[in-house]
Amino acid sequence: MLHAALWLRMSCLALAALAVPHAVASADGPAWPPKMLADALAGPLAGCEEIVFAARGVGSDGHWYANFGYHVRDDKQMMYGRPFGGRLCKLNLRTGKVSTILDDPGGGVRDPQLSYDARKILFSYRKADSRYYHLYEIDIDGANLRQITDGPRDDIEPIYLPDGDILFCSSRCNRWVQCWMVQVAVMYRCGPDGQDIHPISCNIEQDNTPWMMPDGRVLYMRWEYGDRSRVKFHHLWTANPDGTSAMVYFGNMHPGTVMLDAKPIPRTSKVLSVFSPGHGRKEHAGRLAIVDPDAGPDELKWVRFVGKGSNFRDPYPLSEELFLAAEGNRILLIDGKGGTVEIARAEQPGMWAHEPRPVIARPREPVIASRTDYTQATGRLALADVTHGRNMAGVKPGQITKLLVLETLSKPANFSGTMEPISLGGTFTLPRILGTVPVEPDGSAFFEVPALRSVFFVALDANDLAIKRMQSFVSVMPGETTSCAGCHENRTDTATQRSVPLAMRKPPARIEPIADVPDVIDFPRDVQPILDRHCVRCHNYRGKKPPPKMLSLSGDHSPWYSHSYAALMIRGLVSHGRDALGDLPPRAIGSGASRLMKHLDGSHNKVKLTPLEHKTIRLWIEAGATYPGTYASLGTGMAGRIRPDREPLQSRCASCHANKTDRAKKPLPRFRTNPELLCNLTEPDRSLILLAPLATSAGGWGICKSDRAPGGVFASTDDADYRKLLTYVEGVRKNLRKMTRFDMPDFRPNDPYVREMKRYGILPASAGADGEKIDVYATDQAYWKSFWFRPTKAK
């Protein structure tokens, strides 16, 4: 068997030079070229003799973004799939013959991009002996393969920039998808030889499929969710090649479609994109859509779908009526009505065809002069009128007096597709409180923000209560100044003031820090002590009678949270963004909409907080009302919840609480109380599931009664079924104590968290050895600070 290096050398040189088809063949047919291709060669493809495309295996994970890197639980489980093997291929359009430019049976090839003169191919390549994709360049005939980037990170989706640099997406950003177990890639750029690699995006989620537009901007897909649905907002954006002027291009007001692989259609102002339905399909599969942005970024009626096919990938527009695309293992030519003809395919079992590109020279786009200044640590944001916007009804001039500035924080690892335990039904991310900036009486604001950090705002009234929440993020490059007309204003709107806004008549304001409240609030550490001082004496499960409204605000552990945190969320005392849509009406979420704040103003049982306590709870709500203040909480500390099919719940509870049955048609109990509040893992015998059915004479509350048990379902603690339930809750507590939770004195973060923090250089290689305790709060802070931009020289 040939050694991998020898095989690779043969593939790159000998096979390419001989131009012999190698396990990838053109479509069978009685005549070549087929009529659609023959017409194209006389029209949009005139002067084009060949196309290039990639062939590779695909992973088993169905998410559109899970095609590089490794799984968080097992860093040997790679996401790029099997069979391993990648080829860079070339189809002769005149003869139908396919030749191999590069072949690596154990590697992977993706994302080819032709140079402006069509003599070279820039692509992402994972060699057989490597875990990572890096950028390479090769001549169109297979000669002069050269590596451009390296290192223990993945570099994918590269494009040539008109000034000679390269823009690409990379996992060098050291973060993980907020709602899945795979890594994130955001946009970077570098010199033609891989020098001066630096980010031009600080998105905490994926940037995807960048492509040059005729005016010199970059068109790409941005996925982001700030206090809104994780599966709804992945639309088209543009930015300058230096990262400045990031702005929505199309679709951000229309959730529910992933818009990927967009490219400009020659000689039009339109683009061709894949609209992958819902939360997207594997390898970006979906319908082909022609997007006309001339009516603005939100007009769906200006989208025209091409035919009815729904599994196309990697489209390349040749004209408004003719496109290249991939589907499964085939490369297709597609006309404007959705008619298709196969022109090539990947023949090896398990291989898919990808990314067809015509080999034809094209003009360079104009070079947009850089608007960055890398000697500055900040940029500037100008807001014309905060009361102007799509959903600002009822907000009058002067009501908003300041903006609370927060930063949404990247995750060093992630372990599930849901938000637990960061929140209960709300945000997936921890935010950092940066401080406040003033809003002038005319609604304008002008202020500095730290460069390359994802920030968002909460508009506050004179009492510091929330009026409106951004539910998105914005960022600036070093030295950049950017502006907006209002708050979620229509992108076709302009500023309404007839004179220079008041804020712009002054130097930019600096963020005023909030020194007496932690910048990342931790509920058990920062909020629970306030509840202990003012609320728990009435609201707990330790009394002879149930607490008022059955509301416990003690810090006792529930299976995933604490009783107090779970109760505040479940009872709707705190209003946060939920995992839903964004741009909610004024005073719909945040402190201004949270009933908890009204209970703390002195009117509820004379409960009166100190100013600092009141501020702490208010800012905790504005910061998303999260439970932990560390990402080390992820993937651990969540013990089992009580199961309704467990005895004795079926036999002793279902007669009153049943509303459904199991597979055997036995009644299953369903309690009106959330499972988080049924068990007390701090004091198991003070669990609601035990106190409610236990007779008062036995120390319970006697809430659950029947004709046969008028004092309570359990007459005493000696009841065998009571003992079974108690044993079950004690077992859950034992499980929690074994795994530990972030607020426990003996907490131990899980192995993947420690592994990744070592990989990022945040923890030393010896961290955690021999039971050494890791300060996870300090570790997280060091991780987040590793992203802070530090002024250097101009780029």
Side-chain angles (χ1 to χ4, degrees), residues 30-237:
W32 188 272
K35 184 179 186 307
M36 188 187 298
L37 177 57
D39 293 342
L41 290 170
L45 282 174
C48 180
E49 298 294 319
E50 299 169 316
I51 66 167
V52 298
F53 64 96
R56 62 180 178 275
V58 297
S60 59
D61 192 302
H63 291 81
W64 53 271
Y65 48 82
N67 54 20
F68 66 91
Y70 53 85
H71 194 282
V72 70
R73 293 285 187 185
D74 181 2
D75 63 355
K76 295 180 175 57
Q77 179 184 338
M78 309 309 292
M79 305 307 298
Y80 39 71
R82 295 178 182 270
F84 295 151
R87 294 188 176 91
L88 186 59
C89 306
K90 183 167 55 176
L91 167 69
N92 187 302
L93 297 173
R94 305 286 175 175
T95 66
K97 298 298 182 181
V98 175
S99 58
T100 302
I101 301 172
L102 183 146
D103 187 0
D104 187 341
V109 174
R110 53 177 295 170
D111 313 319
Q113 157 79 305
L114 272 293
S115 62
Y116 287 98
D117 61 8
R119 295 180 179 179
K120 296 181 180 294
I121 305 169
L122 175 67
F123 64 107
S124 185
Y125 174 31
R126 180 186 59 78
K127 288 187 174 182
D129 58 356
S130 174
R131 289 161 49 88
Y132 304 103
Y133 279 98
H134 295 123
L135 305 188
Y136 284 76
E137 191 178 57
I138 195 170
D139 290 352
I140 193 68
D141 63 0
N144 298 317
L145 175 69
R146 72 181 185 100
Q147 185 171 351
I148 298 174
T149 63
D150 59 13
R153 303 293 188 273
D154 288 284
D155 302 324
I156 59 174
E157 300 176 344
I159 59 172
Y160 288 105
L161 296 177
D163 64 359
D165 278 2
I166 295 168
L167 188 147
F168 59 101
C169 294
S170 178
S171 65
R172 297 169 186 267
C173 57
N174 291 346
R175 63 201 61 163
W176 289 70
V177 170
Q178 303 285 304
C179 60
W180 203 236
M181 289 79 76
V182 297
Q183 291 153 295
V184 165
V186 302
M187 291 191 297
Y188 280 69
R189 65 178 288 171
C190 67
D193 297 317
Q195 72 275 27
D196 190 26
I197 297 176
H198 61 278
I200 63 167
S201 168
C202 58
N203 194 356
I204 65 170
E205 281 295 353
Q206 307 280 4
D207 299 327
N208 277 94
T209 55
W211 202 264
M212 289 301 300
M213 298 185 69
D215 61 5
R217 292 179 297 161
V218 177
L219 178 65
Y220 65 103
M221 191 287 300
R222 173 170 124 165
W223 183 21
E224 52 105 344
Y225 45 98
D227 304 322
R228 59 180 183 172
S229 172
R230 67 196 184 277
V231 297
K232 298 289 188 181
F233 297 92
H234 5 51
H235 300 104
L236 299 180
W237 286 66

Side-chain angles (χ1 to χ4, degrees), residues 433 514 516-518 520-523 525-530 533 591 596-597 600 609-623 625:
I433 301 167
I514 302 173
D516 50 0
V517 174
V520 181
I521 296 179
D522 182 276
F523 183 90
R525 182 192 65 197
D526 304 317
V527 177
Q528 187 60 50
I530 301 173
R533 288 191 289 270
S591 61
L596 177 62
M597 300 305 298
L600 302 177
L609 275 60
T610 68
L612 178 58
E613 290 172 334
H614 191 277
K615 181 196 292 185
T616 299
I617 290 184
R618 175 179 60 80
L619 289 172
W620 166 69
I621 294 173
E622 309 301 21

Side-chain angles (χ1 to χ4, degrees), residues 335-393:
D335 65 25
K337 296 181 180 180
T340 66
V341 62
E342 178 184 326
I343 58 175
R345 66 168 55 195
E347 293 287 359
Q348 183 178 357
M351 286 284 196
W352 285 16
H354 303 264
E355 300 117 9
R357 314 283 193 244
V359 181
I360 190 168
R362 67 188 190 281
R364 291 178 184 266
E365 301 83 9
V367 175
I368 298 175
S370 178
R371 300 173 184 173
T372 62
D373 180 354
Y374 277 74
T375 66
Q376 298 186 31
T378 63
R380 289 158 295 281
L381 288 172
L383 170 61
D385 181 3
V386 70
T387 67
H388 172 68
R390 282 188 176 95
N391 205 355
M392 297 296 288

